[in-house]
Amino acid sequence: MKHPLAALTLAVASVVAVQPVAAQSFSYPDFSNVSGLKLNGNAYQNGNVLTLTPPLEGQAGTAWSLNQVHLGSNASFSTVFTFDIQKRGGLAGGADGLTFTLQNNTNTTGGAGGGIGYYGIPSSATVEFDTYMNEWDPSSNHVGINTNGNLTSLTTSNVFPDFDNGATWWAWIDYDGSTHNLAVRWADNATRPTSPMLSWMLDLPTILGSNDVYVGFTAGTGAGWGEHNITSWNFVNKFDEGGAPLPTTTPEPGTVVMLATGLAGMVAVRRKRLLKR
C-alpha cells in the first residue's frame, strides 16, 4: 500500500504537470515594470511607458506576453488598454499606427512600415489602429480587424479625430467565444462606449489553432513616423460583459496558481500530522 503522503504529493504533481502555472490575466497600470513581456526590435521601456517605436524612419517594435496565455472558453477574452502617438512627422505628417494582436507563433515576431508590425504573421488575429493611408486602406485614420497577417482588413471604421494627435486614447476589445463576436470600442476618455463601433464574426480557435497564444502589441514606421506608446493594459482570459476593468490594480493570482498553492498547503499540513504520529 502506498504511503498516504506519497499519494497526495503525486496528486499535486499531476495537477501541476497537467496545468502549468501561468498568468491567465494581468494588469499594467503603467510600464514602470515590464516583467512578463518580451520586447523586440525598437520597442523599449520608456520610463513608465511602453514605447513600441521611436519617432524615426523604418522602425518596428513588438511587445508580447513572455509566455503563452490560455484563452477562456472558445478563446474568449476581454482587454482594455490606453495608448498615445506622439511626435508625428515625415511623409504625410506621420505613420503608421499600432495593433493589438493575438498569435500562435513566437514572442519575437514583427515587422516595419505599413504592415504595422503584424504583416505576414500566420495564425493571428489583429485589431489595427491605423494612422496612414496605404493603397489597401480606406482612410488615414481608421480601426480594422485583420487575420493571418493580411494587410487588407475584414472590416474597418474611420475615426475622427486622428489617433496620432498626441492625446491619450482608450481601447476595449472583447471576444465572446459562445457567439464568435469580436467587438471593438474606443474613446478619448475612460468611459467605455455602450455599443461597439466595430465588430466581426470570427472563429478564433480555428484561426489561432490553439487557445494558448501570445498576446501583445505591434507598431511600425516607414518614411513617416511617430512615437507609438502603450501607457496601460489589462487583460482577462474570459469574456467580460462589461469589459475588462481599467488597469488600476494588480489582479489576484490565476486559479491554477491558487489551486497549486492550495494543494501544496494540504501536503504541508498532512506532512506535519504524519510526523506527529
Side-chain angles (χ1 to χ4, degrees):
M1 181 177 179
K2 291 184 179 179
H3 194 284
L5 180 58
L8 185 57
T9 303
L10 180 60
V12 174
S14 298
V15 169
V16 174
V18 173
Q19 296 179 309
V21 175
Q24 304 304 299
S25 62
F26 43 83
S27 182
Y28 289 91
D30 61 39
F31 291 93
S32 54
N33 184 338
V34 294
S35 61
L37 299 177
K38 177 69 170 61
L39 309 186
N40 305 293
N42 301 113
Y44 66 101
Q45 182 184 6
N46 185 5
N48 62 355
V49 170
L50 172 59
T51 296
L52 297 171
T53 70
L56 300 169
E57 291 185 21
Q59 304 292 291
T62 63
W64 302 109
S65 55
L66 191 60
N67 299 304
Q68 289 184 320
V69 173
H70 182 74
L71 301 179
S73 176
N74 297 313
S76 295
F77 73 89
S78 286
T79 190
V80 57
F81 59 92
T82 56
F83 69 91
D84 61 60
I85 304 176
Q86 308 281 345
K87 306 172 185 176
R88 63 184 182 183
L91 182 66
D96 271 278
L98 57 87
T99 83
F100 172 79
T101 297
L102 308 92
Q103 50 93 7
N104 182 26
N105 297 276
T106 72
N107 61 1
T108 60
T109 191
I116 320 181
Y118 71 86
Y119 173 59
I121 300 178
S123 302
S124 66
T126 293
V127 177
E128 63 170 15
F129 299 81
D130 195 319
T131 56
Y132 182 80
M133 186 174 178
N134 290 287
E135 59 188 46
W136 52 83
D137 292 323
S139 74
S140 61
N141 199 69
H142 64 274
V143 177
I145 295 174
N146 300 55
T147 58
N148 297 319
N150 293 317
L151 295 178
T152 303
S153 300
L154 299 170
T155 183
T156 62
S157 177
N158 294 331
V159 181
F160 181 83
D162 292 345
F163 284 129
D164 56 359
N165 63 357
T168 297
W169 289 83
W170 281 255
W172 295 261
I173 304 171
D174 306 285
Y175 181 73
D176 184 351
S178 65
T179 63
H180 288 185
N181 185 56
L182 179 67
V184 188
R185 296 168 171 85
W186 57 88
D188 58 2
N189 60 73
T191 301
R192 182 177 186 266
T194 303
S195 300
M197 289 89 148
L198 190 66
S199 63
W200 196 255
M201 304 298 287
L202 288 177
D203 183 358
L204 272 191
T206 298
I207 292 169
L208 298 174
S210 173
N211 274 26
D212 297 307
V213 296
Y214 296 104
V215 297
F217 303 94
T218 77
T221 70
W225 58 75
E227 181 182 278
H228 298 85
N229 299 314
I230 308 296
T231 53
S232 68
W233 182 26
N234 194 14
F235 181 95
V236 293
N237 69 331
K238 64 177 182 178
F239 172 67
D240 195 319
E241 189 72 34
L246 293 175
T248 56
T249 58
T250 302
E252 295 181 359
T255 54
V256 174
V257 176
M258 294 172 70
L259 177 61
T261 303
L263 287 172
M266 291 170 58
V267 171
V269 171
R270 181 63 172 166
R271 185 187 300 275
K272 289 180 180 179
R273 288 177 179 175
L274 289 172
L275 291 175
K276 289 181 179 180
R277 290 180 179 177

